[in-house]
Amino acid sequence: MVRGQRTGPANAITDVAGLRVGHAHRTGDGWRTGTTVVLAPPEGAVGGVDVRGAAPGTRETDLLDPRNLVERVHAVVLSGGSAFGLDAAGGVVHRLADAGVGLPVGGPGECVPIVPAAVLFDLKRGGVFRNVPDAAMGAAAYDDAVAAPEGRALETGAVGAGTGAVVGGLAGGVGSASAVLPDGTVVGALVAVNGAGSAVAPATGEVYGAQEPLGGEFGGLRAPSAEEVAAWGGPAEVRLAAENTTIGVVATDLGLTKAQAAKLASAAHDGLGRAVRPSHTMVDGDTVFALATGAGPADLEDFQRVLGAAPEVFARAIAHAVLAARGGPHARSYRTVFPSAFPDGGAGGGVGDGST
Amino acid sequence: MVRGQRTGPANAITDVAGLRVGHAHRTGDGWRTGTTVVLAPPEGAVGGVDVRGAAPGTRETDLLDPRNLVERVHAVVLSGGSAFGLDAAGGVVHRLADAGVGLPVGGPGECVPIVPAAVLFDLKRGGVFRNVPDAAMGAAAYDDAVAAPEGRALETGAVGAGTGAVVGGLAGGVGSASAVLPDGTVVGALVAVNGAGSAVAPATGEVYGAQEPLGGEFGGLRAPSAEEVAAWGGPAEVRLAAENTTIGVVATDLGLTKAQAAKLASAAHDGLGRAVRPSHTMVDGDTVFALATGAGPADLEDFQRVLGAAPEVFARAIAHAVLAARGGPHARSYRTVFPSAFPDGGAGGGVGDGST
């Protein structure tokens, strides 16, 4: 573990100054899906991506190849809805263009917003296969990000792209975390956890991503009782059905080149590999985007430290997703299956948890 | 040139059995843009892609990495509208899902259509910057493809994704071509030509892609007069403005692996490199998809022949695009600038050409 870290004030990706997050989602009446947007500052953030799962659904990833022209992205969209959900990005593109934010290409106000996106598979988790995010849901997530008052706490769990998420048979969701390095550099992550593998150790019921907490971020979380582990019966088998995918964003206020941003996205995948086992399977489209908001280029030693921190932050974000997840007819939540893991007996986060 | 070739009956990508093409577009009232869809058979075609330009706008290309799961795509969407135009693919995705076509993922009729897409820059060619293709235009292109009577000739020129296209300062458009190899294998291409470089030789006014015609496909096309070349003044300068991009599809009825399909897409780029000079610049998002409809795997010698033919077919398709292009306020057409190149003095294809 990188020494001398502490969490940022929000312990969330929004600790990277200039980034805003918005969610939109719909549940009930056959729905259980949503969209999350991470908004860069208006001037954009240097972007990168690493698509490491074998069943990805993506949009505008090719332009992030470091050999290519565009350096800065204006938002990243994460969405449920599998391939259908890629439409959500279009709603964000149009909202940004309305606001005059994008790559300038013509006269005043004429710009093309750069909005890479990735989707996860949550079809039919609410009951109806074709109830999927669309451009309007993307626009609503954008509006949520823009309307957020300064300092609003980031919502996690069954929100946005994580609304219908399931990981290893338990409810997944959105999680976030941050780290402030000794030199003041901030690294943050946001993830929608929906992997085929398990975020929970079969033998102990412990959350993999919570193995190396920063301070008391997990609030006295402990190994659950042997009885609960036995009653759980272990994670869902990793079947060859393309009904998964974990997607996320890692961000820093360090100034990076585009190639360094791609490297940062790769590093975060190591955190996914630690926190969801297995990850990156043939039926996961695991994709991580990177955003760098600082004025570059970074000193190589500084970048090396950020690379070391990124997997940890990403893994912690996954743990927060699992711990904040709410169950329902689609899956039970960690909190419901392992109440003994929590000092409060699992009551604290159970609000709205309809699982049994 | 590969010996013993002839064109298919339509000299178009539709000579590859099972492929259908549809266009939708809008001109006038500030519009000059559109969308083209290449529909695979319902069972899909093995897909590949090569993104070789430095300013691409794409959707669902990562799943085409040969390491990844999905083998077959159900349609390819080419569209104007730059990043905005990626929404057109969503309309095709929903239409295919309505028809029950896609990757099966659940119960009966539950499937996820795989629709890779790429866009070109034609913003403001009709006058209004934000008049761009949307999901409805994609759906209309799909409907056009499905409604086409058997044997309908493929429309080219200022149609679909080529409606607002410009190449080297002259009007671009959609072009198509095919070749039947001596063993009966068919190779076809469809392209929307919108490159920063020129499709016409500055010194002679000749169309690069027409250098090696099959049979009489270009109808007695000849080098234009020196007077016309002098009056032309040469192609537009290749400036550092991201207002370009050539996108296309190369297809064969040979059975290919997914990795071979990616290789086929790469080979077609050589045809682009011949027919538009320069291509693949920092302000071109040049992207070629490949579709293989046959039952694989191919014999390596057969595949090698297809690879040899693909650049030629792709270059000829580009030539057909330039020759069928219609001019307008956005750009003059080849036919208007070089009437002496045509046996009929340029009159034949000038219908609807509003250029001066």
Side-chain angles (χ1 to χ4, degrees), chain B residues 18-102:
Chain B
L19 298 187
R20 292 176 289 178
V21 173
H23 301 299
H25 38 257
R26 193 166 164 193
T27 58
D29 294 328
W31 289 80
R32 188 182 297 275
T33 189
T35 299
T36 295
V37 61
V38 179
L39 280 186
E43 70 274 19
V46 173
V49 69
D50 187 9
V51 181
R52 195 92 68 86
T58 56
R59 183 169 161 151
E60 294 285 44
T61 49
D62 290 308
L63 58 81
L64 293 176
D65 184 316
R67 294 171 295 187
N68 289 343
L69 179 73
V70 170
E71 297 277 335
R72 288 176 175 270
V73 309
H74 304 98
V76 171
V77 169
L78 309 176
S79 186
S82 187
F84 301 103
L86 290 172
D87 292 356
V92 176
V93 168
H94 276 283
R95 278 288 201 270
L96 285 164
D98 291 344
V101 172

Side-chain angles (χ1 to χ4, degrees), chain A residues 86-281:
Chain A
L86 291 172
D87 292 356
V92 176
V93 168
H94 277 282
R95 278 288 201 271
L96 285 165
D98 292 344
V101 172
L103 178 72
V105 293
E110 294 175 351
C111 60
V112 177
I114 306 299
V115 183
V119 292
L120 57 80
F121 188 104
D122 60 4
L123 300 178
K124 221 178 174 177
R125 298 253 165 91
V128 177
F129 188 81
R130 291 281 294 279
N131 280 356
V132 291
D134 58 5
M137 193 172 279
Y142 172 90
D143 293 344
D144 182 56
V146 168
E150 191 80 27
R152 180 183 71 172
L154 180 64
E155 290 178 282
T156 58
V159 295
T163 301
V166 174
V167 54
L170 294 176
V174 167
S176 196
S178 72
V180 182
L181 307 191
D183 67 357
T185 301
V186 180
V187 181
L190 180 142
V191 60
V193 185
N194 189 56
S198 178
V200 178
T204 66
E206 290 176 290
V207 177
Y208 288 125
Q211 286 176 338
E212 298 194 281
L214 275 193
E217 66 176 326
F218 297 118
L221 187 75
R222 58 198 175 202
S225 70
E227 290 73 21
E228 286 174 1
V229 175
W232 170 40
E237 193 183 350
V238 178
R239 296 175 305 117
L240 204 57
E243 302 184 349
N244 313 287
T245 293
T246 294
I247 49 182
V249 179
V250 59
T252 182
D253 59 0
L254 201 66
L256 301 184
T257 66
K258 198 176 170 191
Q260 286 174 326
K263 179 69 178 164
L264 177 59
S266 292
H269 273 291
D270 283 348
L272 175 53
R274 295 175 197 170
V276 179
R277 306 184 187 185
S279 292
H280 310 121
T281 77

Side-chain angles (χ1 to χ4, degrees), chain B residues 159-315:
Chain B
V159 296
T163 301
V166 173
V167 54
L170 294 176
V174 167
S176 196
S178 73
V180 182
L181 307 191
D183 67 356
T185 301
V186 180
V187 181
L190 180 141
V191 59
V193 186
N194 189 57
S198 180
V200 179
T204 66
E206 290 176 292
V207 177
Y208 288 125
Q211 286 177 337
E212 298 194 282
L214 276 193
E217 66 177 324
F218 297 118
L221 187 73
R222 58 199 176 202
S225 69
E227 290 73 21
E228 286 174 1
V229 175
W232 170 40
E237 192 184 349
V238 177
R239 295 175 304 117
L240 204 58
E243 302 184 348
N244 314 285
T245 294
T246 294
I247 49 184
V249 180
V250 60
T252 182
D253 59 0
L254 201 66
L256 301 184
T257 65
K258 197 176 170 190
Q260 286 174 326
K263 180 69 178 164
L264 177 59
S266 293
H269 272 291
D270 282 349
L272 175 53
R274 294 174 197 171
V276 179
R277 306 183 187 184
S279 292
H280 310 120
T281 76
M282 290 306 290
V283 292
D284 283 288
D286 301 344
T287 298
V288 178
F289 297 95
L291 297 174
T293 61
D299 179 89
L300 190 55
E301 292 219 25
D302 294 339
F303 181 51
Q304 173 80 342
R305 277 191 288 273
V306 166
L307 284 183
E312 298 174 1
V313 176
F314 206 80

